[in-house]
Amino acid sequence: MEPREQAIVEESLDPTDWKEIETLGHRMVDDLIYYLESVRERPVWQKMPEPTRQALKEPLPLDPQGPEKAYEDFLRHVLPYPTGNIHPRFWGWVMGTGSAVGMLSELLAAGMNSNVVGFDQAATAVEQQVLGWLREMLCFPPGSSGLLVGGGSMANVVGLAVARNAMAGFDLRFDGLAAGPRMTLYASVETHSSMRKAVELLGLGSRSLRLVPVGKDRTVDVEALAALIAADRHAGMRPIAVIGNAGAVNSGAIDDLERLADLCERERIWLHVDGAIGAPAMLSPRLRPALRGMERADSLALDLHKWLYMPYDIGCVLVRSEEAHRGAFASSAAYLAPTSGGLSGIAFTFSDYGPQLSRSFRALKAWMCLKAYGVHKYARLIEQNVEQARHLAGLVEQSSELELLAPAPLNIVCFRFVAPDLDEAGLNALNERILVELQESGAAVPSSTVLDGRFCLRVAITNHRTRRDDLELLVREVVRLGREGMKS
Ligand SMILES: *Cc1c(COP(=O)(O)O)cnc(C)c1O
């Protein structure tokens, strides 16, 4: 054997000088706090300039550039070109604003880097507490179970997976879908596209998702829904689930959830409610009546990164029957078996409630935000957003140059600029130009949708920084751009 000539050099990712990283860390925190504080002074959104696009195509960094250089590049090329959803005049799609406490708690969670599989650790207890709080906030029964997930889309997948397995009538996990008749699900035409994706992903086939017409208020036609179920049963299919909207994506329409719950009870069908947008309105005593029946759902999907203003990403699914929930996902493996003590000294694992094994500590930001701000504050902010939507709808109705295109029962307002000389195609083109100009000028970011063939500006206010004068500015800009667009 050769004698060892050199001592073994062992490396890690830790800094050799902790003081340097500490200084950099403090700078980052200072910079980002200021970034939040000064958000109103910046454009809502701006295009990345060419040098930035090029800078973000750099070759694979094989050798270290160092944390300072990485941070400088972040400051130069990444930070100035965000989605814009932290800005007070961002109302596009349905995006939450985040908060200072949310931001800082992401740092804390990343520092701990806990893997929230389960285990006897604080992170597990924190997530269980957050789920308990959400259950209480949404008036779900104490015995129900839940899981934090990446967002409403995943919450819908998990909820419908539980529904599918619980309602199949045979051991779907073992036998697979081929062992039974076609299972059908029912949702209004206003239902979010993630539902179709969920149904496809679950192997049910999108033609099993029956889209039911809506009335003038854009809520599901319950009679038509009942008739469809009866026809499908008659044709030998197995209706398994009705999907109710608590805040539908286009206009915020809330289905009559009480009637849906009654129907599901009668028909012995699973009720899944997509509350990605509207479920948090349950916090407001004034808004709660509109959601009546939601608490009777068998499963409920909601987003905390939308109307609870928490940083991306965090959503939640609640399931009334813990047994059904576990029935869809629980599994065992020797390497995950509980032990008589130690880290695996508790039998509980979150992987028995969803598809993921390793999971981030996203519960921490929810726990921190709820503690720091308190639920009453959230209730007031949600009411404030609804009041602001009402204010905007009022301004639209007062103007002869603007037209409201759907009722605005919640926090979403759909409207357009109108001019007597233009036909529908002309109005669609003009309003699209208005939208693009609003975004590209950095003045405001609404998004768009098409209602009955009409292109409209869609303002979804899930923003705790918005003030009424921001909406007044929007209205002025839309009218100005519309008039200007008429001339060109
Ligand atoms: C946003 C949204 C979803 C999807 O949620 P993500 O968090 O984006 O995955 C589902 N349903 C409705 C009604 C939504 O608004």
Side-chain angles (χ1 to χ4, degrees):
M1 263 205 152
E2 299 276 316
R4 273 202 197 161
E5 281 170 15
Q6 277 179 326
I8 295 171
V9 179
E10 291 176 307
E11 297 189 293
S12 87
L13 294 173
D14 281 337
T16 40
D17 180 357
W18 283 96
K19 205 72 206 163
E20 271 174 30
I21 206 83
E22 184 185 340
T23 307
L24 181 64
H26 287 165
R27 220 183 110 204
M28 288 175 175
V29 171
D30 289 349
D31 289 348
L32 268 290
I33 298 270
Y34 178 71
Y35 183 74
L36 292 189
E37 190 185 347
S38 58
V39 60
R40 186 173 273 283
E41 293 152 30
R42 291 190 297 273
V44 184
W45 176 83
Q46 56 185 334
K47 260 200 174 101
M48 286 182 283
E50 208 39 47
T52 282
R53 287 184 200 272
Q54 290 313 317
L56 296 178
K57 289 178 191 158
E58 79 177 316
L60 179 68
L62 293 175
D63 294 312
Q65 300 176 357
E68 285 81 8
K69 165 73 165 75
Y71 184 56
E72 290 311 326
D73 284 353
F74 166 80
L75 285 180
R76 227 167 98 221
H77 295 304
V78 181
L79 190 62
Y81 309 107
T83 319
N85 52 306
I86 70 168
H87 195 284
R89 284 192 300 279
F90 188 101
W91 308 295
W93 302 275
V94 182
M95 295 200 198
T97 329
S99 65
V101 170
M103 177 183 88
L104 293 171
S105 36
E106 289 282 58
L107 178 68
L108 307 183
M112 287 183 76
N113 193 30
S114 296
N115 184 350
V116 196
V117 173
F119 296 131
D120 195 0
Q121 58 172 336
T124 300
V126 167
E127 179 155 344
Q128 286 170 327
Q129 175 154 51
V130 166
L131 290 168
W133 285 346
L134 287 169
R135 208 180 282 142
E136 193 178 329
M137 285 158 67
L138 296 162
C139 307
F140 241 60
S144 56
S145 62
L147 186 73
L148 295 181
V149 292
S153 303
M154 189 46 92
N156 284 332
V157 168
V158 171
L160 292 190
V162 179
R164 180 195 63 176
N165 292 18
M167 301 300 292
F170 56 93
D171 186 352
L172 192 142
R173 288 180 70 175
F174 184 71
D175 287 320
L177 282 168
R182 174 172 291 275
M183 293 187 248
T184 48
L185 304 90
Y186 305 81
S188 93
V189 292
E190 293 288 296
T191 300
H192 193 265
S193 58
S194 63
M195 212 60 76
R196 177 179 172 152
K197 224 189 225 181
V199 167
E200 290 170 357
L201 192 60
L202 292 170
L204 297 164
S206 53
R207 82 178 157 102
S208 305
L209 179 62
R210 310 290 198 216
L211 294 183
V212 186
V214 292
K216 266 201 159 39
D217 60 359
R218 302 202 166 263
T219 68
V220 69
D221 179 341
V222 183
E223 310 277 305
L225 170 53
L228 261 175
I229 291 173
D232 282 345
R233 275 205 208 287
H234 189 73
M237 295 170 210
R238 178 183 280 272
I240 57 163
V242 167
I243 294 148
N245 289 306
V249 61
N250 276 321
S251 67
I254 302 170
D255 290 336
D256 188 338
L257 300 173
E258 192 83 284
R259 274 187 81 197
L260 291 184
D262 289 342
L263 174 75
C264 287
E265 216 168 83
R266 236 177 14 250
E267 297 279 343
R268 298 179 177 278
I269 293 181
W270 190 277
L271 176 61
H272 175 81
V273 171
D274 183 357
I277 299 176
M282 202 72 167
L283 294 182
S284 153
R286 261 194 289 151
L287 300 169
R288 196 173 299 146
L291 292 169
R292 195 173 300 126
M294 190 173 83
E295 73 290 346
R296 290 171 62 193
D298 295 292
S299 53
L300 170 65
L302 71 139
D303 257 328
L304 286 79
H305 56 214
K306 287 180 176 170
W307 217 1
L308 289 172
Y309 321 102
M310 291 183 192
Y312 286 96
D313 51 18
I314 183 166
C316 175
V317 59
L318 294 178
V319 179
R320 172 170 306 273
S321 159
E322 176 158 26
E323 193 190 339
H325 196 175
R326 292 181 60 85
F329 293 103
S331 57
S332 59
Y335 47 84
L336 296 173
T339 47
S340 59
L343 198 51
S344 355
I346 58 169
F348 179 87
T349 64
F350 283 110
S351 61
D352 286 344
Y353 297 82
Q356 270 188 293
L357 180 60
S358 299
R359 300 168 69 250
S360 72
F361 192 9
R362 52 167 68 95
L364 187 66
K365 58 194 172 197
W367 188 81
M368 292 281 294
C369 287
L370 288 170
K371 279 168 69 73
Y373 300 123
V375 171
H376 290 316
K377 174 84 160 185
Y378 284 98
R380 289 199 302 277
L381 290 171
I382 286 164
E383 288 182 353
Q384 180 171 293
N385 284 162
V386 172
E387 285 305 315
Q388 288 165 336
R390 242 168 240 167
H391 181 61
L392 174 60
L395 293 173
V396 168
E397 284 181 317
Q398 278 161 32
S399 165
S400 59
E401 290 166 289
L402 301 174
E403 182 187 11
L404 196 64
L405 290 177
L410 214 54
N411 54 344
I412 301 178
V413 183
C414 294
F415 70 105
R416 65 176 177 174
F417 180 83
V418 284
D421 311 348
L422 288 179
D423 61 7
E424 287 296 324
L427 286 175
N428 286 353
L430 175 59
N431 279 280
E432 181 169 348
R433 286 210 305 282
I434 294 173
L435 178 73
V436 170
E437 184 54 33
L438 280 170
Q439 293 186 357
E440 296 203 338
S441 69
V445 174
S447 57
S448 62
T449 191
V450 176
L451 294 174
D452 309 319
R454 294 161 175 168
F455 183 95
C456 55
L457 306 172
R458 177 173 161 286
V459 171
I461 315 175
T462 42
N463 191 323
H464 62 85
R465 298 198 172 103
T466 298
R467 300 180 199 141
R468 279 175 176 231
D469 53 9
D470 290 311
L471 295 161
E472 287 157 13
L473 183 148
L474 170 74
V475 166
R476 281 197 305 276
E477 276 299 286
V478 170
V479 170
R480 186 182 69 77
L481 291 167
R483 287 178 188 163
E484 225 163 67
M486 289 294 298
K487 282 187 239 142
S488 59

